[in-house]
Amino acid sequence: QVQLVESGGGLVQAGGSLRVSCAASGLTFRSVNMGWFRQAPGKEREFVAAINWSGGTTYYADSVKGRFTISRDNARNTVYLQMNSLSPDDTAVYYCAAGRGWSREVEYDYWGQGTQVTVSS
């Protein structure tokens, strides 16, 4: 059974930093791409960042480019999202996803339960 468990969310002030993690089990982690998506209240879920199976290629939404960094540790079956210069607009539930996908939700096969990130002004 595939499980993706996010952690590290919380409350942070604007301009601050936070790192969220996603631990995977039940799949061959080193062979799948990983993505981060987020959903703000009243809005549709949107793509944030993706990283390929080896960690050699990454891709970001324009809204987070230069502020967020996605990385992975295949030895620990974990993907990370380092978020810097946070603003209240980044407030959302953050989800990790695993599969063959890149920037579209439909391309991912497995999803975590999400972790709440709240940025206060």
Side-chain angles (χ1 to χ4, degrees):
Q1 180 182 356
V2 175
Q3 282 194 314
L4 301 177
V5 180
E6 299 97 336
S7 61
L11 175 64
V12 63
Q13 288 189 332
S17 298
L18 202 63
R19 187 178 81 160
V20 291
S21 304
C22 172
S25 60
L27 76 168
T28 306
F29 184 76
R30 63 182 180 274
S31 68
V32 296
N33 295 340
M34 296 296 295
W36 284 98
F37 292 76
R38 67 185 181 185
Q39 187 168 22
K43 295 186 177 181
E44 293 186 352
R45 190 156 58 183
E46 65 175 1
F47 169 75
V48 175
I51 188 166
N52 77 328
W53 62 274
S54 70
T57 302
T58 57
Y59 180 62
Y60 298 92
D62 287 344
S63 59
V64 306
K65 202 174 296 182
R67 299 188 300 122
F68 290 12
T69 302
I70 188 171
S71 62
R72 66 190 294 162
D73 185 340
N74 284 350
R76 298 179 186 271
N77 286 5
T78 301
V79 62
Y80 306 96
L81 186 68
Q82 176 67 44
M83 303 181 287
N84 299 328
S85 302
L86 285 161
S87 77
D89 288 341
D90 296 314
T91 295
V93 177
Y94 283 72
Y95 299 90
C96 70
R100 299 157 291 112
W102 202 231
S103 62
R104 297 192 304 159
E105 287 187 51
V106 295
E107 297 170 336
Y108 286 89
D109 302 308
Y110 306 104
W111 292 82
Q113 82 289 348
T115 185
Q116 176 70 48
V117 172
T118 303
V119 184
S120 64
S121 57

